[in-house]
PDB file of all heavy atoms in Angstrom:
ATOM      1  N   THR A 196     -18.267  21.694   2.635  1.00 98.00           N
ATOM      2  CA  THR A 196     -18.774  23.077   2.650  1.00 98.00           C
ATOM      3  C   THR A 196     -17.728  24.002   2.044  1.00 98.00           C
ATOM      4  O   THR A 196     -18.035  24.822   1.158  1.00 98.00           O
ATOM      5  CB  THR A 196     -19.091  23.522   4.103  1.00 98.00           C
ATOM      6  OG1 THR A 196     -20.097  22.658   4.609  1.00 98.00           O
ATOM      7  CG2 THR A 196     -19.557  24.967   4.165  1.00 98.00           C
ATOM      8  N   LEU A 197     -16.487  23.856   2.487  1.00 98.00           N
ATOM      9  CA  LEU A 197     -15.413  24.707   1.955  1.00 98.00           C
ATOM     10  C   LEU A 197     -15.211  24.452   0.461  1.00 98.00           C
ATOM     11  O   LEU A 197     -14.957  25.383  -0.313  1.00 98.00           O
ATOM     12  CB  LEU A 197     -14.112  24.448   2.717  1.00 98.00           C
ATOM     13  CG  LEU A 197     -14.079  24.999   4.148  1.00 98.00           C
ATOM     14  CD1 LEU A 197     -12.938  24.377   4.950  1.00 98.00           C
ATOM     15  CD2 LEU A 197     -13.947  26.523   4.144  1.00 98.00           C
ATOM     16  N   GLY A 198     -15.363  23.187   0.043  1.00 98.00           N
ATOM     17  CA  GLY A 198     -15.167  22.831  -1.360  1.00 98.00           C
ATOM     18  C   GLY A 198     -16.199  23.447  -2.284  1.00 98.00           C
ATOM     19  O   GLY A 198     -15.960  23.580  -3.485  1.00 98.00           O
ATOM     20  N   ALA A 199     -17.355  23.800  -1.742  1.00 98.00           N
ATOM     21  CA  ALA A 199     -18.414  24.397  -2.569  1.00 98.00           C
ATOM     22  C   ALA A 199     -18.398  25.923  -2.479  1.00 98.00           C
ATOM     23  O   ALA A 199     -19.240  26.594  -3.075  1.00 98.00           O
ATOM     24  CB  ALA A 199     -19.772  23.856  -2.126  1.00 98.00           C
ATOM     25  N   MET A 200     -17.464  26.480  -1.739  1.00 98.00           N
ATOM     26  CA  MET A 200     -17.418  27.941  -1.544  1.00 98.00           C
ATOM     27  C   MET A 200     -16.572  28.611  -2.635  1.00 98.00           C
ATOM     28  O   MET A 200     -15.987  27.941  -3.471  1.00 98.00           O
ATOM     29  CB  MET A 200     -16.898  28.245  -0.134  1.00 98.00           C
ATOM     30  CG  MET A 200     -17.932  27.911   0.923  1.00 98.00           C
ATOM     31  SD  MET A 200     -17.403  28.285   2.584  1.00 98.00           S
ATOM     32  CE  MET A 200     -17.377  30.068   2.546  1.00 98.00           C
ATOM     33  N   PRO A 201     -16.516  29.946  -2.644  1.00 98.00           N
ATOM     34  CA  PRO A 201     -15.721  30.642  -3.665  1.00 98.00           C
ATOM     35  C   PRO A 201     -14.214  30.409  -3.443  1.00 98.00           C
ATOM     36  O   PRO A 201     -13.570  31.108  -2.664  1.00 98.00           O
ATOM     37  CB  PRO A 201     -16.081  32.117  -3.443  1.00 98.00           C
ATOM     38  CG  PRO A 201     -17.337  32.114  -2.650  1.00 98.00           C
ATOM     39  CD  PRO A 201     -17.279  30.884  -1.804  1.00 98.00           C
ATOM     40  N   THR A 202     -13.681  29.423  -4.137  1.00 98.00           N
ATOM     41  CA  THR A 202     -12.301  28.967  -3.884  1.00 98.00           C
ATOM     42  C   THR A 202     -11.282  30.088  -4.064  1.00 98.00           C
ATOM     43  O   THR A 202     -10.352  30.221  -3.249  1.00 98.00           O
ATOM     44  CB  THR A 202     -11.958  27.792  -4.841  1.00 98.00           C
ATOM     45  OG1 THR A 202     -13.079  26.901  -4.847  1.00 98.00           O
ATOM     46  CG2 THR A 202     -10.716  27.057  -4.402  1.00 98.00           C
ATOM     47  N   ALA A 203     -11.459  30.872  -5.112  1.00 98.00           N
ATOM     48  CA  ALA A 203     -10.482  31.955  -5.355  1.00 98.00           C
ATOM     49  C   ALA A 203     -10.520  32.952  -4.193  1.00 98.00           C
ATOM     50  O   ALA A 203      -9.475  33.445  -3.740  1.00 98.00           O
ATOM     51  CB  ALA A 203     -10.789  32.648  -6.674  1.00 98.00           C
ATOM     52  N   GLY A 204     -11.723  33.233  -3.701  1.00 98.00           N
ATOM     53  CA  GLY A 204     -11.871  34.139  -2.557  1.00 98.00           C
ATOM     54  C   GLY A 204     -11.219  33.558  -1.305  1.00 98.00           C
ATOM     55  O   GLY A 204     -10.539  34.268  -0.551  1.00 98.00           O
ATOM     56  N   LEU A 205     -11.406  32.261  -1.087  1.00 98.00           N
ATOM     57  CA  LEU A 205     -10.783  31.616   0.083  1.00 98.00           C
ATOM     58  C   LEU A 205      -9.260  31.690  -0.017  1.00 98.00           C
ATOM     59  O   LEU A 205      -8.564  31.900   0.987  1.00 98.00           O
ATOM     60  CB  LEU A 205     -11.228  30.158   0.213  1.00 98.00           C
ATOM     61  CG  LEU A 205     -12.729  29.878   0.395  1.00 98.00           C
ATOM     62  CD1 LEU A 205     -12.944  28.392   0.695  1.00 98.00           C
ATOM     63  CD2 LEU A 205     -13.330  30.710   1.516  1.00 98.00           C
ATOM     64  N   ALA A 206      -8.747  31.524  -1.243  1.00 98.00           N
ATOM     65  CA  ALA A 206      -7.286  31.604  -1.436  1.00 98.00           C
ATOM     66  C   ALA A 206      -6.786  33.012  -1.091  1.00 98.00           C
ATOM     67  O   ALA A 206      -5.699  33.171  -0.526  1.00 98.00           O
ATOM     68  CB  ALA A 206      -6.928  31.249  -2.868  1.00 98.00           C
ATOM     69  N   LEU A 207      -7.602  34.013  -1.408  1.00 98.00           N
ATOM     70  CA  LEU A 207      -7.199  35.397  -1.096  1.00 98.00           C
ATOM     71  C   LEU A 207      -7.248  35.655   0.413  1.00 98.00           C
ATOM     72  O   LEU A 207      -6.410  36.380   0.960  1.00 98.00           O
ATOM     73  CB  LEU A 207      -8.082  36.389  -1.866  1.00 98.00           C
ATOM     74  CG  LEU A 207      -7.865  36.343  -3.396  1.00 98.00           C
ATOM     75  CD1 LEU A 207      -8.989  37.071  -4.123  1.00 98.00           C
ATOM     76  CD2 LEU A 207      -6.509  36.938  -3.784  1.00 98.00           C
TER      77      LEU A 207
END
Side-chain angles (χ1 to χ4, degrees):
T196 299
L197 288 164
M200 288 182 69
T202 315
L205 300 188
L207 293 166

